[in-house]
Amino acid sequence: MDQEIGGGAARQVTPPPPPLCCLISTLSGAAPTSLDFGRRRAIQDAKRLVRARSVFSFLESVNWRLKSVLFDLIPLQEYSFSFIVSQVHWKSYCKTLSLLAFQSFGVVYGDLSTSPLYVYRNSLSGRLNGYLDETTIFGLFSLIFWTFTLVPLLKYVLIVLSADDNGEGGTFALYSLLCRHAKFSLLPNQQAADEELSTYYQPGTDRPVVSSPFKSACFSVVTSNVVPNAVLSAISGLQDPATSGLADGWILFIACVVLVGLFALQHRGTHRVAFMFAPIVMLWLFTIGAIGVYNIIHWNPRILVALSPHYIVKFFKTTGRDGWMSLGGVLLAITGTEAMFADLGHFTAASIRLAFVGVIYPCLVLQYMGQAAFLSKNIAAVNSSFYLSIPSLACITVMFITTCLMSLVIIFVWQKNILISLLFLLFFGSLEAAYLSSAVMKVPQGGWAPVALALVFMSVMYVWHYGTRRKYLFDLQNKVSMKWILNLGPSLGIMRVPGIGLIYTELVTGVPAIFSHFVTNLPAFHQVLVFVCVKSVPVPYVPADERYLIGRIGPREYRLYRCIVRYGYKDVQKDDENFENHLVMSIARFIQMEAEESASSASYESSTEGRMAVVHTTDTAGTGLVVRDPGDDAGASASLTRSSKSETLRSLQSIYELESAGSVSRRRRVRFQIDEEERIDPRVRDELSDLLEAKEAGVAYIIGHSYVKARKNSNFLKTFAINYAYSFLRKNCRGPSVTLHIPHISLIEVGMIYYV
């Protein structure tokens, strides 16, 4: 129903459903004197929201009966339109949050959910066999309950999940935060421009997490649903205590088959596997929770008193050192806790908190409590399904490292008082140190394997970092001086031939020493030279429109430029077929921007050396260029760019195009020309013409094939690390041309020895 407002009495009419814009214009066109403040505010809100494309699209899809309720039956002075839309957005947010929380059960909580299979069995085995009574069972449950409450719930859910790095979690995210806020960087390649990234101090908008919940989930290791320890414990349930059931060899074989099946499922897609395992894990949790309630009521309701930490004191008074040795079994109750923080990038902190607090925590607490109630009346059942399982040191070690890094984050990132950081470190650090000391006692029984493996990987990473840092410092200390380049003149003392030369370097400032090696050994160089640096910045993702930094080296007539391509530690460096086109458009845009700034100072020759600008264009807007029609057959005769290529060069170019019919030809299929309709300064036009002429001649990728050697006066450890270990790693790793996706036909490598 609609109501016409006029000078007289209101008249009820039933018009056909009008468009939304007509409804708003009708309301806004009424007499101003008949509108109170609430109605005026509702109209203003409606007009503003209509301008937003997302809200407009949503409202157009709403049933007209609901619209009539919104605009006619509900008084606008009581329920403003903005309030109604906010309620709609809230419902959409809750729906998305529920979907992400549902997915997290199949990805994050597999290890935690299966821990009840083996926690009591491992804790009560060994030296605690002589203390199997109700007091020990109650004390053990109290220890499990408070460990499960303090570490996963208090530390991770309430505190650590708030220390995300633009939505990413894990120890590497904490380290990345410290690199940005406390300057804990390993390589001295930071720039002031890096701090201007939208993802540096605040979350960026390049990677929408909530908008696509179905595609965001992925698995960590072995699908992170059922770990091998849980699979072994679950399969061991097939053994019959009375008849000894299946032999251990068959149990191991069946567990391996199950694990292979889990690996085989991954090709179906991570989001599909997540949705497949999520209902299984939820059904498992609700089932063991219900069983726990039954055991509490049926066997021993007095187990509720064990929630008091007083029973932990009684437990250690009774068991002493043997009780401390059993902490390795209690530790199994919180294995998988780190996955909540490590897998944060696949979900949101709110969804992980909702799943843990709403389902995981109550179901597991009830299950552990029910098991304790059952065991307190059935002591002999402890060893009936005994299967020896030795925990890994990795879990508690990662938790302890997270605690140490988190204490630094509290000081440097959150800017809190140092006393709060010390309290956090002492409280959680002492708790995890107790478990770590207990786990260390398992080293002779098999814990040495992960320790030895960790030492090997740590040694490899340290040698690689040490060699890379020494090589970078050598380049930094032996940069070519600008005075030397200026003395060479615009021709750089050699023949400048048509084409673009992309010189890859690790330096973000200055000219590397290998450039002088190029000039000395090469008889000719390209007309346009671009020093390209691909660097990693301590942020998870770099938005595409902030990825390129463009600058100039030396005077304009030298045609030397610098391009820094920035990636985050979660970005994937894919083979960009349009890199050359984007680079040319970005340099053209930089030339235009530089000319505009120079025009304001009335001097085109104003020095801008060392200045860089964030430039990225996906089209030719603002570059002074237009894309030439690929079907234009008169390109050779009506070329708008100068061409100095001889017949020999053109013949070589045709052979080059035939040999590079694959990805390289696709890189060069776009051709540009200067926009004749745009008014461009003659000197800018000349520079753009040189750039386009060089682009038409072809692009060459120049990389230094470096050999790193230790100096003769180096000690034995340094000589071994550089000449043998680091050299071995470089020879067995992918080369720069493969990592940077450089076409081999356009690649030029020049050897150089580094004495570090």
Side-chain angles (χ1 to χ4, degrees), residues 55-179:
V55 178
F56 180 77
S57 300
F58 173 78
L59 290 177
E60 287 295 324
S61 64
V62 177
N63 188 275
W64 278 107
R65 182 179 300 175
L66 178 60
K67 289 185 180 180
S68 63
V69 171
L70 294 179
F71 284 100
D72 301 311
L73 300 183
I74 300 179
L76 291 178
Q77 63 269 21
E78 297 180 7
Y79 301 96
S80 68
F81 190 67
S82 60
F83 172 77
I84 297 172
V85 174
S86 66
Q87 294 297 315
V88 172
H89 280 288
W90 172 252
K91 292 181 180 179
S92 176
Y93 169 76
C94 292
K95 180 180 178 181
T96 304
L97 182 64
S98 302
L99 287 174
L100 289 174
F102 175 76
Q103 281 186 301
S104 67
F105 286 106
V107 176
V108 179
Y109 296 111
D111 202 354
L112 274 175
S113 301
T114 55
S115 294
L117 289 171
Y118 42 79
V119 170
Y120 280 106
R121 186 175 59 207
N122 285 273
S123 300
L124 294 173
S125 63
R127 299 188 179 185
L128 286 186
N129 279 327
Y131 304 93
L132 296 181
D133 54 17
E134 185 179 271
T135 302
T136 302
I137 299 297
F138 278 29
L140 185 60
F141 164 71
S142 183
L143 190 60
I144 293 173
F145 169 76
W146 284 105
T147 301
F148 196 72
T149 300
L150 293 177
V151 178
L153 180 62
L154 181 59
K155 175 188 171 183
Y156 279 88
V157 173
L158 298 183
I159 301 177
V160 176
L161 284 180
S162 301
D164 65 292
D165 182 13
N166 291 277
E168 295 295 327
T171 53
F172 203 89
L174 295 179
Y175 172 74
S176 176
L177 288 173
L178 294 174
C179 285

Side-chain angles (χ1 to χ4, degrees), residues 166-324:
N166 291 277
E168 295 295 327
T171 53
F172 203 89
L174 295 179
Y175 172 74
S176 176
L177 288 173
L178 294 174
C179 285
R180 303 203 302 265
H181 294 81
K183 308 303 180 185
F184 285 6
S185 182
L186 296 178
L187 287 178
N189 61 350
Q190 301 83 21
Q191 292 177 285
D194 294 341
E195 301 184 10
E196 299 177 1
L197 289 169
S198 59
T199 54
Y200 200 89
Y201 289 114
Q202 58 186 359
T205 58
D206 187 61
R207 185 182 64 95
V209 177
V210 180
S211 62
S212 181
F214 301 97
K215 299 181 181 179
S216 62
C218 88
F219 290 86
S220 14
V221 180
V222 194
T223 68
S224 190
N225 288 284
V226 186
V227 295
N229 191 25
V231 173
L232 284 172
S233 300
I235 302 301
S236 66
L238 298 175
Q239 291 179 316
D240 186 2
T243 63
S244 297
L246 295 176
D248 289 344
W250 282 103
I251 295 296
L252 184 61
F253 173 77
I254 296 175
C256 291
V257 172
V258 173
L259 290 174
V260 171
L262 292 177
F263 276 110
L265 287 174
Q266 292 189 9
H267 80 282
R268 304 294 300 175
T270 53
H271 63 285
R272 290 190 179 94
V273 181
F275 271 103
M276 182 177 67
F277 277 98
I280 297 175
V281 175
M282 291 189 68
L283 179 62
W284 163 262
L285 288 168
F286 289 132
T287 301
I288 64 175
I291 294 174
V293 173
Y294 169 80
N295 287 332
I296 294 171
I297 298 175
H298 180 75
W299 292 106
N300 195 350
R302 288 189 61 252
I303 190 64
L304 294 174
V305 301
L307 295 175
S308 171
H310 171 67
Y311 282 85
I312 299 178
V313 179
K314 295 177 63 177
F315 173 80
F316 283 110
K317 282 184 177 180
T318 303
T319 60
R321 187 175 184 273
D322 295 334
W324 172 72

